[in-house]
Amino acid sequence: MKKPKGKLTLEVFFLIILTDVIESFAELFWKKGALATGIDNVTFANVTQFMSSMLTGPEFLTGLFLYIVNFFLWVTVLSRVDLSVAFPTGSTSYIIVALLSMVFLDEHISLYRWSGIICIITGIYFISKSANDGGSPA
Amino acid sequence: MTFKVFFLVLVAEACSAGMHILFKRGVNTLEPGSMRSIKGYLRFVRSVLKNPSVWAGLLVVCCGMVVWLLVLAHAELSLAFPLDSIQYVFILLASAALLGERVNRYRILGTFFIIAGIVLVALQ
């Protein structure tokens, strides 16, 4: 079944960024949850203990809730644009994390990081160009 | 990072790529979701929840998440970051091969710029 290829509109772009920000938070909660179990080396012997401690913790459940919200946002995005457009566009989150840690955590952004940020912006420009100048009707 | 952790990360990344492909395959058969009206959006949500390919994607990602939990207990989150870039290659190839998306030169170029950018950002 062929659907017309959707353009990367500003609305879809913001939805993609939103899903990536939410995902970063969900991952952070799960990481905190894994640390909270106090088990730093999971083996066959303690995997059950690790899982039962992890899966009932508030950090895990908060992360799970965020993942569920994200699921609906992400399928909405996918219903509108190509996967090969939506997925790489999500790398905007790397820029957001870098800028946020500069502003709020006073982290220094190295020359490497700045050039990485410029590379990512260039990449997203090319991706949106491939989606929007394709000539196929939206 | 030990070989075991590296292997686990690869499995988790492959599950995640599989999830995106199954989701996309599923929603390709639906009308695009619009958030302009609540009723219209609920109709979209309902058709998503009735889609077998979407459920297959959720199943795959549940397996992937269990693997992720094991990874997170081992490695620093920052170590897993550069390996994330493998995903971009997986997704680009699979979009063309399995989903029939028109991957043109700009899209390939853009994806490689992004991978290079992520590696540079991770170098710190």
Side-chain angles (χ1 to χ4, degrees), chain A residues 3 11 31 40-42 54 71-72 74 76 78-85 91 113 116 123 129-130 134, chain B residues 20 23-24 28 30 32-33 36 41 54 69 72-75 100-102 104 106-107 110 114 117-118 120-121:
Chain A
K3 287 265 167 194
E11 191 191 341
K31 174 71 185 170
D40 55 5
N41 188 20
V42 180
M54 170 91 197
F71 163 73
F72 288 107
W74 184 239
T76 308
L78 287 184
S79 74
R80 305 235 212 131
V81 288
D82 277 353
L83 177 60
S84 53
V85 169
S91 61
R113 268 203 159 174
K129 197 168 159 59
S130 88
Chain B
H20 289 297
F23 281 179
K24 179 60 178 163
N28 269 349
L30 309 177
R36 271 159 226 249
Y41 193 66
V54 169
L69 290 182
L72 290 184
H74 274 283
E101 293 185 1
R102 272 206 342 202
N104 57 21
Y106 281 124
R107 207 166 289 183
I114 287 169
I118 291 172
L120 283 171
V121 168

Side-chain angles (χ1 to χ4, degrees), chain A residues 45-112:
Chain A
N46 62 18
V47 69
T48 342
Q49 193 200 344
F50 171 75
M51 284 297 180
S52 60
S53 161
M54 170 91 197
L55 298 184
T56 52
E59 295 92 348
F60 174 79
L61 296 175
T62 312
L64 184 66
F65 172 75
L66 292 176
Y67 274 119
I68 292 170
V69 170
N70 232 16
F71 163 73
F72 288 107
L73 294 176
W74 184 239
V75 287
T76 308
V77 168
L78 287 184
S79 74
R80 305 235 212 131
V81 288
D82 277 353
L83 177 60
S84 53
V85 169
F87 188 79
T89 304
S91 61
T92 318
S93 62
Y94 288 91
I95 301 173
I96 295 171
V97 169
L99 295 181
L100 285 182
S101 49
M102 179 176 74
V103 175
F104 291 108
L105 303 175
D106 268 332
E107 250 183 45
H108 171 71
I109 299 192
S110 64
L111 201 59
Y112 277 131

